[in-house]
Amino acid sequence: MIEFIKSLPKAELHLHIEGSLEPELMFELAKRNNVEIPFSSVEEVKKAYNFHNLQSFLDIYFQGANVLIHEQDFYDLTMAYLLKCKEDNVVHTEIFFDPQTHTDRGISFDTVINGIHRALKDGEKDLGISSKIIMCFLRHLSEEEAFKTLEMSLAHKDKIIGVGLDSSEVGHPPSKFERVFKKALEEGFLTVAHAGEEGPAEYIWEALDLLGVTRVDHGVRSLEDEKLVKRLKEEQIPLTVCPLSNIKLCVFDKLSDHNLKSLLDNGLMAMINSDDPSYFGGYLGENFIQCQKELDLGKDDLKKLAINSFKSSFLEEAEKDKWINKINNL
Ligand code: HPA
Ligand code: ZN
């Protein structure tokens, strides 16, 4: 099965590039940039990766990002992730970045986007991996801050396909960002949002109705609302599910309790993603391998998940069809 999983071309649609910062690179960048980090060894960092909810993770995730200063740092971070994609046969990736995590520390928007974008271009040329960039607003910050970030992004519209919403979900409903998403849509960006990870099904309704999202990130709590399931099924709205993330952040107790299979059985457009792989114990391949084992997924389930990843992507239809045909012929 591991070989079969490897052989499947896959697209990743829910990946925070800052969440792919491996402890080894964190140390290297801390040294290179003379930044103090509150850990003395890679083992100590790994030990700190024990989370009891989303917030306990975010505190460490924002701290880790402090070592990213120069354009080359963002390049190195992104290139390291692309090399993992290559190992896992991820042929297309749509990555999130959080500009505010960096601009709030005095790093310019241009430094961040240019480093990420240059690595993605090299990844396309040298590794054959296609990609898109999605800019996320931090939802624990204000609407006004999000508007300022949107303004900064306009000079880079050619590099950014869409906007998203991440960080602390509960208490920061999608409705808080209705106006800024309206502006983003008017500017031609696609929209997505994290909803229904820790927050209630109501937040998924808001993401759909107020933010005009084309995909829901996570969305695992949708099964709590029958009417919502009907809507998601009828419109085949993708749910970018992140199984290992959900276990690490205690959304489910253990992987065998995860509702991924039920989402598929309900006719929903779900697929597997890694979210913040350095922090959650595995890249996309590892998420597939562990889900296959714990949820008893057969080859047809795995093919469906890979096909759903392309169907739900922002690739051109011809590109989607090319990969879907390859999977169907396996
Ligand atoms: N949820 C919300 N915000 C995040 C996540 C997540 O899983 N990862 C990085 N920022
Ligand atoms: Zn996420």
Side-chain angles (χ1 to χ4, degrees), residues 64-197:
N66 284 335
V67 301
L68 299 160
I69 309 280
H70 303 291
E71 184 183 311
Q72 189 61 36
D73 305 339
F74 290 92
Y75 178 97
D76 292 347
L77 171 72
T78 307
M79 187 48 75
Y81 164 65
L82 290 171
L83 291 170
K84 298 282 189 182
C85 287
K86 191 74 191 166
E87 276 175 38
D88 282 346
N89 203 14
V90 175
V91 298
H92 177 70
T93 181
E94 300 185 357
I95 69 172
F96 295 129
F97 79 115
D98 289 338
Q100 290 158 298
T101 299
H102 314 297
T103 53
D104 283 5
R105 301 182 287 120
I107 312 295
S108 84
F109 191 104
D110 295 12
T111 297
V112 181
I113 187 84
N114 291 338
I116 295 171
H117 185 255
R118 183 157 59 83
L120 292 178
K121 283 291 125 207
D122 284 352
E124 180 141 37
K125 182 163 56 77
D126 300 335
L127 305 171
I129 298 169
S130 58
S131 54
K132 309 274 182 202
I133 301 179
I134 300 168
M135 169 180 90
C136 280
F137 301 115
L138 297 179
R139 68 204 301 160
H140 67 275
L141 300 179
S142 67
E143 179 197 37
E144 189 191 348
E145 293 293 329
F147 265 113
K148 279 192 209 153
T149 304
L150 181 61
E151 196 58 41
M152 284 187 252
S153 75
L154 296 180
H156 298 282
K157 246 184 175 174
D158 56 327
K159 308 181 193 76
I160 301 172
I161 189 151
V163 301
L165 192 61
D166 66 1
S167 184
S168 324
E169 186 180 6
V170 175
H172 302 284
S175 53
K176 179 176 164 186
F177 297 94
E178 183 177 358
R179 289 184 292 194
V180 72
F181 270 65
K182 184 165 180 284
K183 176 90 191 324
L185 286 163
E186 283 166 10
E187 291 288 351
F189 291 109
L190 293 168
T191 62
V192 299
H194 283 53
E197 177 187 19

Side-chain angles (χ1 to χ4, degrees), residues 14 16 96 166 194 197 217-218 242 275-276:
H14 185 152
H16 302 262
F96 295 129
D166 66 1
H194 283 53
E197 177 187 19
D217 296 314
H218 292 296
C242 306
D275 208 5
D276 301 280

